[in-house]
């Protein structure tokens, strides 16, 4: 079942402030996988300008990147 972006973002907001751990990392990866599956967030752009343009109009991609950057080396 496809969840809304706000539901996924709510889960992310709960997870992102947890201390780095394997379980935190797993939860973040699961959210990223859900976004990839339902919102087509994995795209490659040739230029930074193309990426920035897409990020401005694609909320799912912005959320995906935010989750991705929340992962740390500790995870």
């Amino acid at each position: 079942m496809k969840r809304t972006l706000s539901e996924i973002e709510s889960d992310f907001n709960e997870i992102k402030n947890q201390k780095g751990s394997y379980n935190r990392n797993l939860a973040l990866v699961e959210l990223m996988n859900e976004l990839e599956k339902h919102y087509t967030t994995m795209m490659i752009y040739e230029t930074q300008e193309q990426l920035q343009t897409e990020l401005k109009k694609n909320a799912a991609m912005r959320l995906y990147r935010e989750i991705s950057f929340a992962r740390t080396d500790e995870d």
Side-chain angles (χ1 to χ4, degrees):
M1 182 171 113
K2 182 176 177 179
R3 297 189 308 152
T4 66
L5 281 178
S6 61
E7 291 172 322
I8 296 170
E9 187 170 19
S10 176
D11 286 355
F12 170 59
N13 287 330
E14 291 178 21
I15 295 167
K16 72 178 178 182
N17 294 322
Q18 295 175 3
K19 183 176 167 76
S21 69
Y22 175 78
N23 289 336
R24 177 183 181 271
N25 183 45
L26 185 60
L28 291 173
V29 169
E30 287 175 1
L31 291 177
M32 292 168 67
N33 288 340
E34 186 174 357
L35 285 167
E36 288 174 21
K37 180 179 178 183
H38 296 293
Y39 291 97
T40 316
T41 54
M42 288 301 299
M43 295 183 237
I44 298 174
Y45 297 92
E46 292 187 20
T47 66
Q48 186 67 17
E49 292 80 21
Q50 289 174 326
L51 173 61
Q52 293 305 318
T53 299
E54 185 63 29
L55 286 171
K56 287 178 184 175
K57 61 184 179 181
N58 188 332
M61 185 178 283
R62 286 192 305 272
L63 180 57
Y64 181 91
R65 287 175 56 88
E66 187 177 350
I67 294 169
S68 176
F69 292 137
R71 296 176 60 204
T72 66
D73 291 335
E74 294 175 0
D75 297 337

